[in-house]
Amino acid sequence: MPLDVLLLGVQGSGKGTQAKRLSAEYGLAHIATGDMLRAAMSEGTPLGQRVKPIYDAGELVPDDLMIELIRERLSRADTDAGFILDGFPRTMAQADALDSMLSEIDRPLTVVLELQVPDDVAIARLRKRAAGEGRSDDTPEAIAKRIALYNQETRPLVSHYRLAGNLVGIHGDRPENEVFSEIQQAVEQAKVASA
Ligand code: ADP
């Protein structure tokens, strides 16, 4: 049985950090759409050139582009043992597309984890990161836009997956190692439940 994990959480929730650890621990393909787009932009591919102004403004890349990107990514062999989705789906249309892609191959998500942190904690972490990393979408305007879009477009997915029955909330406002061990427990339980 593959181990397929979806991680949800607002910008600054620690999602990317935990996704990397989880992928290393369980040998899962880490599918981080933001990283994929940044790679396309730095290589200057047609996709990269198309998404650059959207990305820099903190807006969402159109669903059809993202869905095709993920469809292609999920078809690669490194996802055979499992994957961790970090940054996709971000809209209900993307979630519907993912649900049908996965049901076509009879491979439901093992578990959906929501990293929960209070808004003020997320914003403080994000400001700190912005100072350190120099990402082109870390301007104050683009940060505000990204958080607003999370609340409007992505947060509703929490209820979607809660209804589907495989959502687990994780307390993200704690030291990184504690968050990771709670994630591991949730993953272990989900593995048993899906076996
Ligand atoms: P963050 O979660 O901090 O905003 P990401 O690296 O996950 O950072 O995403 C950065 C940007 O990439 C988003 O603001 C958006 O422009 C684009 N992006 C990434 N994933 C998606 C997606 N699933 N749908 C639409 N746009 C996306």
Side-chain angles (χ1 to χ4, degrees):
M1 279 283 270
L3 173 57
D4 297 332
V5 180
L6 166 57
L7 258 187
L8 292 172
V10 73
Q11 288 79 359
S13 61
K15 194 163 48 75
T17 305
Q18 298 294 338
K20 280 197 196 84
R21 289 187 64 165
L22 202 54
S23 115
E25 179 79 21
Y26 292 93
L28 308 175
H30 178 198
I31 304 180
T33 45
D35 290 349
M36 292 166 75
L37 296 174
R38 280 184 287 278
M41 288 185 289
S42 72
E43 286 160 23
T45 66
L47 173 73
Q49 291 177 23
R50 170 138 187 226
V51 302
K52 172 105 175 93
I54 305 174
Y55 174 96
D56 284 349
E59 301 280 357
L60 290 174
V61 172
D63 287 331
D64 53 346
L65 281 184
M66 295 308 304
I67 290 165
E68 279 321 304
L69 195 69
I70 286 292
R71 190 189 301 282
E72 191 278 324
R73 183 67 188 84
L74 289 179
S75 71
R76 293 200 221 154
D78 69 337
T79 60
D80 286 355
F83 56 75
I84 164 153
L85 282 175
D86 167 8
F88 182 98
R90 252 180 166 85
T91 65
M92 198 55 88
Q94 292 179 15
D96 287 340
L98 178 68
D99 289 349
S100 31
M101 269 183 241
L102 295 179
S103 79
E104 266 169 37
I105 52 174
D106 195 21
R107 191 168 159 169
L109 291 168
T110 314
V111 66
V112 181
L113 304 171
E114 185 202 9
L115 265 177
Q116 299 163 334
V117 293
D119 288 354
D120 54 332
V121 172
I123 290 170
R125 287 182 181 172
L126 215 56
R127 290 215 176 107
K128 205 167 142 200
R129 185 183 83 184
E133 282 184 7
R135 258 170 62 166
S136 59
D137 63 343
D138 270 346
T139 61
E141 298 75 27
I143 288 176
K145 183 80 213 172
R146 280 153 53 211
I147 291 179
L149 283 170
Y150 184 86
N151 288 319
Q152 278 163 33
E153 302 287 342
T154 311
R155 205 178 285 285
L157 303 187
V158 171
S159 327
H160 173 79
Y161 288 109
R162 189 177 295 121
L163 282 174
N166 52 0
L167 182 96
V168 181
I170 304 289
H171 303 91
D173 183 15
R174 292 186 305 171
E176 191 187 311
N177 285 336
E178 287 179 29
V179 176
F180 188 61
S181 56
E182 191 179 334
I183 287 180
Q184 275 186 294
Q185 280 173 32
V187 165
E188 293 300 333
Q189 279 186 14
K191 272 166 70 176
V192 172
S194 69

